Amino acid sequence: FIDITPANNNLVYMVASNPNDTYQGIYKSLDSGTTFTQMENTTDIFEGDQSWYDLAIGVSNTNENEIYVGCLNVWKSSDGGDSFSQLNQWYSRTDSYTHADIHFIRAFNNGIFVGSDGGIFESIDAGNTFTDLSPGLGISQFYRISVSKQDSNKIAGGLQDNGGYALNNEEWLNYYGADGMDCVVNPTNSNNYFHFVF
């Protein structure tokens, strides 16, 4: 995956994976992509071997040395790719949270936008915090749902890449992440919800 920044039109950054989908490296070209040099960073910014599915790179449009790479989490380099620091943990909903399975990172105006299986996130402070822009969008996909035998207002649902949800008192509550898959409301006690993760 490649990105170019308006801060230097001759500069091209590329992130590459090995044949087994693990992290290979960050490469930098100063001649518009004619030649590339591998940067020194050896930190596993992929955190696994699923780059076949989720991988993105983005460069600040005002600072040519500020790079963002995402697979599961967002990683940032302020020195042109020689070192990276992790900005978040996909399973921890803090001010820097972005959902896992990152497919898109781009700089627009003064923001960094991250697109993932869980929605769209924006940072306007160089990755220190992210805002979830997805609330209110009807974009989730249920694998399965289960409705209580006693009360049709009690529903459990497993979402593709977005965890398990339970409808109770007309409010959808998320109670874990990952793939939601199968679920069931206990047929003898509609207050018990069971989910099975993928």
Side-chain angles (χ1 to χ4, degrees):
F1 290 86
I2 295 176
D3 199 18
I4 302 167
T5 173
N8 182 345
N9 291 328
N10 295 316
L11 177 62
V12 180
Y13 285 105
M14 177 175 64
V15 59
S17 63
N18 291 307
N20 64 354
D21 299 308
T22 58
Y23 178 66
Q24 183 183 80
I26 299 290
Y27 295 82
K28 184 177 187 177
S29 172
L30 299 174
D31 54 14
S32 300
T34 303
T35 60
F36 282 88
T37 302
Q38 185 171 6
M39 306 311 293
E40 308 249 343
N41 177 58
T42 58
T43 304
D44 180 11
I45 57 179
F46 288 6
E47 305 171 80
D49 59 359
Q50 63 181 58
S51 64
W52 60 272
Y53 177 68
D54 48 19
L55 179 59
I57 185 171
V59 185
S60 164
N61 55 6
T62 57
N63 181 349
E64 66 181 62
N65 293 308
E66 187 177 305
I67 308 167
Y68 298 85
V69 177
C71 204
L72 295 175
N73 297 298
V74 180
W75 291 74
K76 177 183 176 181
S77 174
S78 298
D79 59 11
D82 276 331
S83 64
F84 280 84
S85 59
Q86 186 175 344
L87 298 182
N88 56 14
Q89 284 285 353
W90 67 267
Y91 52 80
S92 179
R93 288 196 178 258
T94 64
D95 288 343
S96 63
Y97 173 79
T98 62
H99 193 280
D101 299 337
I102 297 167
H103 303 283
F104 177 85
I105 300 177
R106 284 294 178 271
F108 292 108
N109 297 324
N110 294 321
I112 298 294
F113 291 84
V114 175
S116 70
D117 281 1
I120 302 169
F121 301 83
E122 178 188 20
S123 176
I124 56 172
D125 57 7
N128 291 316
T129 61
F130 283 89
T131 301
D132 186 353
L133 304 179
S134 310
L137 298 177
I139 56 175
S140 297
Q141 174 186 342
F142 281 98
Y143 280 120
R144 307 269 194 286
I145 62 169
S146 175
V147 181
S148 164
K149 291 184 183 280
Q150 293 82 23
D151 183 351
S152 62
N153 292 312
K154 292 188 175 183
I155 302 172
L159 294 174
Q160 191 264 328
D161 287 329
N162 282 274
Y165 278 78
L167 180 65
N168 193 6
N169 297 322
E170 299 182 11
E171 183 179 6
W172 284 102
L173 305 171
N174 174 252
Y175 56 91
Y176 70 89
D179 275 327
M181 285 308 280
D182 230 335
C183 55
V184 65
V185 179
N186 187 329
T188 59
N189 182 349
S190 63
N191 290 319
N192 290 339
Y193 294 57
F194 300 95
H195 276 76
F196 307 92
V197 291
F198 181 95

